Amino acid sequence: MVRILLVGPPGAGKGTQATGIAATFGIPAISTGDIFRANVRDETPLGVEAKGYMDRGEYVPDSLTNALVADRIRQADCAGGFLLDGYPRTLDQVRALDEVLEAQGNKLDIVVEITADPEVIVERIRLRGLEQGRSDDNEEVVRNRLDVYARETAPLIEVYQKRGILVTVDGIGTVETVSGRILQEMSALGFSPA
Ligand code: AMP
């Protein structure tokens, strides 16, 4: 049983690692980016509202994002733990997540920060944009997403560091190398797959 969060700049490989780590632990991976993209694709009211922010590389407002995640975490499949990918990303989201978990008598166990050099990121995302056709993967929007990350999300690192639940992993390397690093850090904190 583990409640874990992956944090890191866009293009650090969070999504890929999230899927792998969640599968290894048999817990759901919750990606707010994926949920928003699914809503944009299906043209739901949430998707219509979120699309403009996403296309500009800005964050979707906290009110929308917090409600979405609160709802998701209360679902039955999260009772045995979960992995959050890309949420929280603002201090207000940290507070909202704390509230939801406290109400359940739970808390986050571990926060994994995945780091990567900005130049490597810009190149990775350029390739991903070509492969997946994501509308927010062009260079100008990517640079904005990196700025927004530095301004809004980087401060979360210190918050979780002070709580003593932060580990930092180098995101440069093959998928297997990076997931090996994450599993090693988790194991050092007492979290190993069953
Ligand atoms: P991602 O796939 O995690 O890079 O997210 C893609 C886009 O979805 C972001 O650039 C934001 O516009 C939006 N998004 C995802 N997660 C959040 C979040 N926690 N708070 C606000 N916006 C988010």
Side-chain angles (χ1 to χ4, degrees), residues 14 32-34 36-37 53-54 57-60 65 86-89 93 134 136 145:
K14 288 190 301 297
T32 42
D34 283 351
F36 284 132
R37 276 185 290 280
Y53 298 101
M54 295 174 74
E58 292 166 13
Y59 287 169
V60 177
T65 311
Y87 179 95
R89 264 171 148 113
Q93 293 178 13
R134 267 179 62 163
D136 60 349
R145 284 160 64 202

Side-chain angles (χ1 to χ4, degrees), residues 59-72:
Y59 287 169
V60 177
D62 287 334
S63 53
L64 292 175
T65 311
N66 287 334
L68 178 102
V69 176
D71 188 57
R72 182 67 190 86

